[in-house]
Amino acid sequence: MTLVTPQPLDVELVLMDFNRWNWCRTGEDEEMLVPHSEILEGPLPVQGPVAFDGTPPVEAPQPMEVVASTVENQAIEEPQVSRFTWAIENFSRQTNKKLYSDVFVVGGYKWRVLIFPKGNNVDHLSMYLDVADSSSLPYGWSRHAQFNLAVVNQIHSKFTVKKDTQHQFHARESDWGFTSFMPLSDLYDPGRGYLVNDTCIIEAEVAVKKVIDYWTYDSKKETGYVGLKNQGATCYMNSLLQTLYHIPYFRKAVYHMPTTENDMPSGSIPLALQSLFYKLQYNETSVATKELTKSFGWDTYDSFMQHDVQELNRVLCEKLEDKMKGTVVEGTIQKLFEGHHMNYIECVNVDFKSTRKESFYDLQLDVKGCRDVYASFDKYVEVERLEGDNKYHAEAHGLQDAKKGVLFIDFPPVLQLQLKRFEYDFTRDTMVKINDRYEFPLELDLDRENGKYLSPDADKSVRNLYTLHSVLVHSGGVHGGHYYAYIRPILSDNWFKFDDERVTKEDMKRALEEQYGGEEELPQTNPGYNNAPFKFTKYSNAYMLVYIRESDKDKIICDVDEKDIAEHLRIRLKKEQEEKENKRRYKAQAHLYTIIKVARDANLLEQIGKDIYFDLVDHDKVHSFRIQKQTPFNQFKEEVAKEFGVPVQFQRFWIWAKRQNHTYRPNRPLTALEETQSVGQLREVSSKNQNAELKLFLEIEIGPDLHPIPPPDKSKEDILLFFKLYDPEKEELRYVGRFFVKSSSKPTEIILKLNERAGFSQDEEIELYEEIKFEPCVMCERLDKRTSFRSSQIEDGDIICFQKLRKAEEKYRYPDVPSFLEYVKNRQIVHFRSLDRPKEDDFCLELSKLHTYDDVVERVAQKLNLDDPSKIRLTPHNCYSQQPKPHPVKYRAAEHLLDMLVHYNQVSDILYYEVLDIPLPELQCLKTLKVAFHPVNKEEPVIHNIRLPKQSTVGDVLDEIKSKVTLSHENAELRLLEVFYHKIYKIFPLTEKIENINDQYWTLRAEEIPEEEKNLGPQDRLIHVYHFTKEAAQNQMQVQNFGEPFFLIIHENETLADVKVRIQKKLEVPDEEFSKWKFAFLSLGRPEYLQDSDVVSNRFQRRDVYGAWEQYLGLEHSDTTPKRSFTANQNRHSFEKPVKIYN
């Protein structure tokens, strides 16, 4: 069922421009939106919402009832704000990768919701708002929408998952939303309330406004400044770089960092930053940041991972500080950004005071509960009382009442204030963005109220009066957004907005007041409706502030010109600019010129048998001329004479033609009339495509004295043929020249001439073949030597291949021309890697794409000196993840080698192999399970590969394990558990068939059943116990489980104190460490901490066993287990990586 609920308001949202968040960049100046994923799996997507496996959008049939009006019957203009409801029935049985909702209209625009029910290559539901008619909208369209998407909890509405954001949609960003909307485990858990009667209800609230078109905007012309190109999700970096660049003292210091002409920007952070700053200073158009991110050691994945601008600021400054050591600019970072504060604790009743001086490069200021920057500083220096249970231990004085606080010793010339817009909300158990109104002044006086923020040791002669230089803005929500900056470069009244590639002039109100955050109320324009006014939160607000001290501004805002830039850098960058300008000019003037590519016999001789085997030449590797279109062709011939040393009178040019069979051959010589035309006219004769090149073959005849001679006269009877010689013994094909034949003559008449060209004896018998085509398959047919060329339909430009007549006793791999060309067409060098070492090539084999499965494994077995090829198992390669595919090739399931190499639209050249201990056909009749056995004595788990017939049961598996391990006693019973992400999800019944058990994603664990569990009392409970810690990831505080989960019996009226004793004994944890552990009852992922006196059984429902997703006893403590980059059989969470600069 689909509902569209219009709000009775005619509203216009404040114009806010939002740029890229997730981008795929196909070239320096070319960008396309992708459905937002961090690890690409599948081919690079095309524009618009396309699944990553390359499948086109599927309009899945949905059992929807349209209650309100849809697009087809919309009669009146929709209001600007609407709520849309989409009920999806049979949700868990959906097989399509993606689903689209019905189209609904808001603000006269067509929208729809796009979801990926099984996740867009992540283990979360993925959901986006999509412009329904993006493909049919006119060029340059754009629209702005503020919206939220929700999955309704149909049991408890307070648990409805709702996420909001805003975005400016246009042709290259026609969908926007959340790749990791909510975990699939939560969505599909029937007890959570998101699926009721297998129906999922999705809601979207959308408010829109048309925006100004900036497609033709010229930043340099309008503002004098240029922007930075977004590489994928690098807007956070762009805003920071613009801020640092517009601190001239910093820019000058970067210019003075030592670099040499031998350095490469992609390998030198100082040179890359110098290059970037130089281009920002002197370029006319926006500047790319690829060299800089390469110098950081980042790959494409890093460019698509959005990070925190505050974190990048710290990491970059630390890296530059390190790079500046030992240079003339050593200490610049400290001089600009370093301040000091004093942490103190002062006893109230005794004369004792402890102080500690610390430095800072930026200050973290609270936003929550503070109306402005001054309130945050007040809170920063607020005195904390240490009294009662929290008394301070003052060395010889023992426990004492004390005052604890922070005061500033000195502030830096450039003060960076990081506003704490993100914080953990304990009531909601998640990270939230604080969009509260928070004011910041144009002038900041930190000497206010008699220097209340300063320590007694502060230098009172320094006037700490600051003026605002820049405001970095975060626009969006906790799950994603966009960064840009408002900067006044010379501290005048002129503010500029630096938003990736675009720079605009802005007024002070936009830079200050409109970035305070808070809420805005839109006026009610339909008083006939009894609705509350529409309020919306302003999601764009200041995130970082940069102030410059008034007394230092003349030093900080200094002149930076070319003399500050190293000469080698100026030369290098000016040369780059000239090359770029030449390319631009070349491109701009392209319509005035024609590119003429001239192929000669020398090119054919050089390429055939080496670079190419089919046709005659690769035109990209021949000499090209760039000639003005109006140039007479005869004048062009003079250019050719100069270049090749062939006088004009000895030149004859042939036009190439593409035949219907897709081959490309010289078709006919130019006529005398055509040679009087301009090259532009001649190009039009050869191709109607305006941008096509003119391709010519230059026929040159060489006389006995090896000098050019005039070309022979050509009549209609004369045919120009090209000849290739094949040697089956050497498996070589080479070009041996061309000559004219009479169409009425027969091949027998040219045998002597061909033998001479080949270096054969005059009476050598040869076979002739015509090379006809090679796409989609090779066609090379024997030429009847007794039939005339005309009868064999031979014409100008045809290719004749020949070889010695085969003798019966001669045995060759490819005995004739057709078999050799077939081999060349299908040959494939395959790199084989052991599945255990998937990053290393073991060996290479030259195979044919037409080789059968048996051919391939036989060749691999030969290489490995293995007698039985059936023990080889192959696994294909995933071209996009650069990893083995999850499933190997079944025995003889792939007909040809090509079937094993194709991945979507790409052909790989990698296969992985395993050597099995039994033949693959036999193995495929068995089921292999990887089971981790956990001994009672706390020894490390041992992995056992259990191989049994597929019809075996779990009981058979446990019997097999018993035969391999040492048990605590001979009558011990085992059980098999399914463990996933450190939680127990299932105890397998002994009778369950193993055929359907999946050990690819779940860990199978075998363990002894404790005797006490076999004799449960009527009031005893068997509960799950898991280790956990709380971590902030992707701006959310999440419970992270770790370690080995286990079962525990709890008895009626047993307190936590009693349970703790048994847990400590079971886990053998030392007292000191165990005292730090916390214990919590967790339900639906939310911890409720327990006290020693709490009766544990009261927290758990009265069932024998609980699912891991319901409730468990949590042990909170630090995770001391060694971290691994990837754990087998455990999918990795896609949490945001920390910012790292590797070089």
Side-chain angles (χ1 to χ4, degrees), residues 853-865:
Y853 175 89
D854 288 344
D855 294 333
V856 175
V857 294
E858 188 173 328
R859 289 288 305 279
V860 174
Q862 287 175 4
K863 181 69 179 179
L864 298 173
N865 296 317

Side-chain angles (χ1 to χ4, degrees), residues 267-536:
S268 165
I269 293 176
L271 183 58
L273 201 54
Q274 288 171 351
S275 175
L276 183 82
F277 282 4
Y278 181 92
K279 291 172 183 175
L280 282 174
Q281 194 162 344
Y282 294 107
N283 264 27
E284 294 298 317
T285 57
S286 57
V287 179
T289 57
K290 283 185 179 178
E291 279 186 346
L292 182 64
T293 54
K294 281 182 181 177
S295 76
F296 290 170
W298 291 3
D299 56 19
T300 305
Y301 178 78
D302 291 292
S303 297
F304 278 88
M305 177 73 75
Q306 191 176 63
H307 294 290
D308 183 80
V309 71
Q310 299 176 0
E311 185 182 6
L312 175 66
N313 185 35
R314 292 191 198 101
V315 173
L316 180 59
C317 284
E318 286 172 9
K319 184 64 66 172
L320 288 174
E321 183 180 356
D322 183 59
K323 298 282 184 184
M324 289 177 177
K325 285 179 180 175
T327 74
V328 295
V329 290
E330 181 175 358
T332 297
I333 300 298
Q334 293 96 317
K335 289 175 187 174
L336 282 176
F337 304 117
E338 187 178 48
H340 299 88
H341 52 54
M342 177 186 72
N343 294 289
Y344 68 88
I345 299 178
E346 185 176 4
C347 293
V348 175
N349 301 315
V350 296
D351 185 17
F352 182 85
K353 185 175 183 179
S354 171
T355 62
R356 187 177 72 255
K357 180 181 178 180
E358 292 183 351
S359 65
F360 63 87
Y361 283 169
D362 57 50
L363 293 174
Q364 297 266 337
L365 297 185
D366 285 329
V367 171
K368 188 74 171 178
C370 299
R371 68 177 301 274
D372 59 15
V373 170
Y374 289 121
S376 295
F377 269 98
D378 291 344
K379 191 172 181 181
Y380 204 100
V381 300
E382 198 171 52
V383 176
E384 179 186 355
R385 296 282 180 178
L386 304 180
E387 52 194 16
D389 293 338
N390 196 28
K391 286 185 178 183
Y392 173 65
H393 189 277
E395 296 181 359
H397 302 284
L399 295 175
Q400 293 288 331
D401 291 342
K403 297 183 294 181
K404 178 182 178 182
V406 176
L407 289 172
F408 290 92
I409 299 170
D410 57 66
F411 291 104
V414 179
L415 180 63
Q416 300 181 108
L417 303 180
Q418 312 285 6
L419 307 184
K420 292 163 72 172
R421 284 282 182 187
F422 295 98
E423 68 173 33
Y424 181 68
D425 186 332
F426 286 92
T427 60
R428 294 164 60 184
D429 192 32
T430 186
M431 221 48 192
V432 295
K433 183 179 178 187
I434 308 301
N435 290 302
D436 298 355
R437 182 177 177 86
Y438 181 85
E439 299 177 8
F440 46 92
L442 187 65
E443 282 198 345
L444 177 67
D445 186 357
L446 295 179
D447 290 333
R448 66 195 290 257
E449 298 182 22
N450 297 317
K452 62 186 291 188
Y453 307 130
L454 300 175
S455 76
D457 301 331
D459 183 355
K460 299 296 195 295
S461 67
V462 177
R463 180 73 173 96
N464 292 302
L465 180 64
Y466 286 84
T467 187
L468 185 61
H469 172 265
S470 48
V471 180
L472 274 70
V473 176
H474 178 267
S475 177
V478 71
H479 301 283
H482 179 58
Y483 290 93
Y484 48 91
Y486 290 95
I487 303 172
R488 51 174 184 160
I490 58 173
L491 301 181
S492 67
D493 292 336
N494 297 321
W495 285 87
F496 299 89
K497 179 182 177 185
F498 293 83
D499 188 353
D500 284 340
E501 296 183 40
R502 193 169 69 238
V503 185
T504 53
K505 291 180 181 178
E506 303 290 348
D507 58 30
M508 189 180 300
K509 181 181 178 183
R510 178 66 63 90
L512 272 71
E513 293 178 32
E514 293 191 12
Q515 307 315 319
Y516 289 165
E519 285 189 338
E520 187 158 325
E521 182 177 306
L522 296 175
Q524 187 170 353
T525 56
N526 294 283
Y529 292 91
N530 186 22
N531 279 40
F534 181 73
K535 287 186 177 181
F536 69 92

